[in-house]
Amino acid sequence: MKNLFLAILINSFLIFGCSQSGAGNLTNVDAILSHLKEQHKDLDEDDICIDEIDGFSAFFIVGYFAHDRGCGNPDYYFEGEEITLDKKATKKILMNGNFEQDNIAAVEAYHKGVTNHYEYSLSTMPDDFDESKHAFSEPSTVIDKDLIVSEIWIQERSGMLPEVSFHLSMLIVDLEGNLVDHQTSNHFTVQY
């Protein structure tokens, strides 16, 4: 509960603090960490995770660490600024990730590295997967009717519960790089 309260408090201060600090220089892990420490003098580095996302230069995800589930509740930094991950930002990030050169690879990288950043994107079927009820498939990103459709099975963070949960994540982007939809389906949990 203490970590959840800390994450909410940090998020509140970040939103207010970034608007006042002229934060446009948040272009690397050290700069982001320094910025967060300026905003929150008692911030412990063990309470946050700062990840630079492969394939997307100048893009970072900052998560808040909960000891029972790992990092979550992300904030996003792109080109030196804290951003909201909306449709406009998604297009900019995709373009930054070589969308124009290889749109399929950029969408799949975004789907794995951004949309499902704190979950596990599955490329092979894990032992716990219940194949009697759900058909496992490897990650797939294809162009279908002028849309780029990416499907990936996800293993959710389970924390300390004696279970493992899965769902199918689908990300749809048009050929111009605009986010059309993100949806999840086929949710199921396997108890140990």
Side-chain angles (χ1 to χ4, degrees):
M1 189 64 152
K2 176 183 167 190
N3 287 333
L4 178 60
F5 177 73
L6 178 62
I8 292 168
L9 182 65
I10 289 172
N11 278 332
S12 300
F13 285 129
L14 280 175
I15 292 167
F16 179 73
C18 285
S19 65
Q20 292 189 345
S21 69
N25 63 348
L26 304 174
T27 57
N28 62 53
V29 171
D30 292 334
I32 293 169
L33 182 59
S34 293
H35 171 72
L36 293 172
K37 285 184 172 185
E38 285 175 18
Q39 302 300 312
H40 317 286
K41 301 294 184 204
D42 60 344
L43 179 68
D44 186 337
E45 289 180 36
D46 291 336
D47 290 333
I48 59 172
C49 313
I50 303 174
D51 300 317
E52 185 170 10
I53 306 307
D54 291 337
F56 300 97
S57 63
F59 182 60
F60 299 86
I61 297 178
V62 176
Y64 300 93
F65 190 75
H67 294 279
D68 63 336
R69 291 182 60 89
C71 278
N73 301 322
D75 288 324
Y76 304 94
Y77 292 81
F78 181 59
E79 296 181 335
E81 300 285 340
E82 185 174 5
I83 64 166
T84 300
L85 197 59
D86 56 15
K87 289 183 177 188
K88 183 178 177 182
T90 295
K91 183 172 183 173
K92 283 180 150 182
I93 294 163
L94 282 168
M95 293 302 162
N96 176 270
N98 293 318
F99 181 87
E100 292 175 337
Q101 289 76 30
D102 190 349
N103 56 10
I104 289 175
V107 169
E108 186 165 306
Y110 184 90
H111 194 189
K112 289 178 179 178
V114 179
T115 305
N116 293 296
H117 184 70
Y118 290 121
E119 307 291 347
Y120 304 102
S121 298
L122 300 173
S123 56
T124 59
M125 185 176 70
D127 294 337
D128 296 332
F129 193 92
D130 185 356
E131 199 172 23
S132 68
K133 295 180 182 175
H134 303 278
F136 181 82
S137 57
E138 294 180 1
S140 168
T141 304
V142 297
I143 295 176
D144 182 22
K145 299 177 185 172
D146 295 329
L147 296 172
I148 303 166
V149 180
S150 181
E151 290 185 323
I152 302 173
W153 275 101
I154 302 298
Q155 180 176 329
E156 301 170 9
R157 297 175 296 139
S158 60
M160 299 176 72
L161 298 174
E163 63 186 25
V164 60
S165 297
F166 301 94
H167 68 265
L168 185 61
S169 178
M170 179 187 292
L171 183 71
I172 303 171
V173 175
D174 71 17
L175 295 176
E176 301 298 315
N178 297 301
L179 177 64
V180 174
D181 194 14
H182 174 246
Q183 52 189 271
T184 61
S185 63
N186 298 343
H187 296 263
F188 70 95
T189 299
V190 177
Q191 303 291 326
Y192 292 139

